[in-house]
Amino acid sequence: MRVMAGFVAAGLAALIVTAAVTLSGVYDVAATKPHFAIIRWWLELGMRRSVQFHAASIAVPRLGDPAQVTRGFRHVQTGCLICHSARGLPLSPTVWRLQPAAPDLAETAPTWAPNELFWIVKHGIKMTGMPAFGPTHDDQTLWNIVAFVRQLPNMTADQYQRFADEGRAAGNEHEH
Ligand code: HEC
């Protein structure tokens, strides 16, 4: 009984402290500084678990034939590389200051399963700058994007450049 009472008291105290900090306004929401490391870690953990949970039932089609990857590249170039770097491509100074910043796609892609990447691109992530592409893109297009993003980590800068050149040569069909 005494142990239970202790837990309840500790829980209440934590709630009161959280409410006090929140309502006082002392927590700094400025984007010039990142969250405290522990808050960032907590939010990331929640984000990762949420994506894993919601993406678990998505069946992954066959991915990665070259035509599909090329189609995916065009969308990634116009739709994602505004905010995300890929293989160290330079970004506009405005999006560097997103907080949290959009990670390099070549670095983050291997940390997600294909169904999770699909879910992220389709639904976006609340309270970050990550938009949902589902409302404007069909699933086939979203899988093309996933197919390209999955290839990024193994792509040399030269191979990447070739995609960019082929995209331009194909007349940039203004897809995004
Ligand atoms: C308007 C800016 C913006 C655009 C456009 C955008 N993203 Fe994002 N993206 C973000 C931000 C900000 C995050 C959140 C980063 C975080 O929480 O650490 C994010 C998160 C992600 C993540 C999860 C990364 C991680 O591990 O934290 C993936 C994967 C991703 N984006 C892929 C894409 C793809 C693919 C596209 C194009 C179809 C795209 N994004 C377009 C801003 C953008």
Side-chain angles (χ1 to χ4, degrees), residues 124-142:
I125 304 174
K126 272 193 191 70
M127 299 284 279
T128 73
M130 177 61 197
F133 288 81
T136 47
H137 293 71
D138 60 19
D139 282 4
Q140 186 54 58
T141 307
L142 300 177

Side-chain angles (χ1 to χ4, degrees), residues 79-86 89-91 95 101-105 108 130-131:
C80 317
L81 301 187
I82 324 162
C83 294
H84 289 270
S85 187
L89 274 182
L91 279 175
V95 298
D104 189 307
L105 284 179
T108 196
M130 177 61 197

Side-chain angles (χ1 to χ4, degrees), residues 13 17 21 41 46 49 53-54 91 94 106 130 135 141 146 150 153 164:
V17 171
V21 170
W41 170 82
R49 289 294 306 128
F53 175 80
H54 286 94
L91 279 175
T94 309
M130 177 61 197
T141 307
V146 171
R150 301 247 314 149

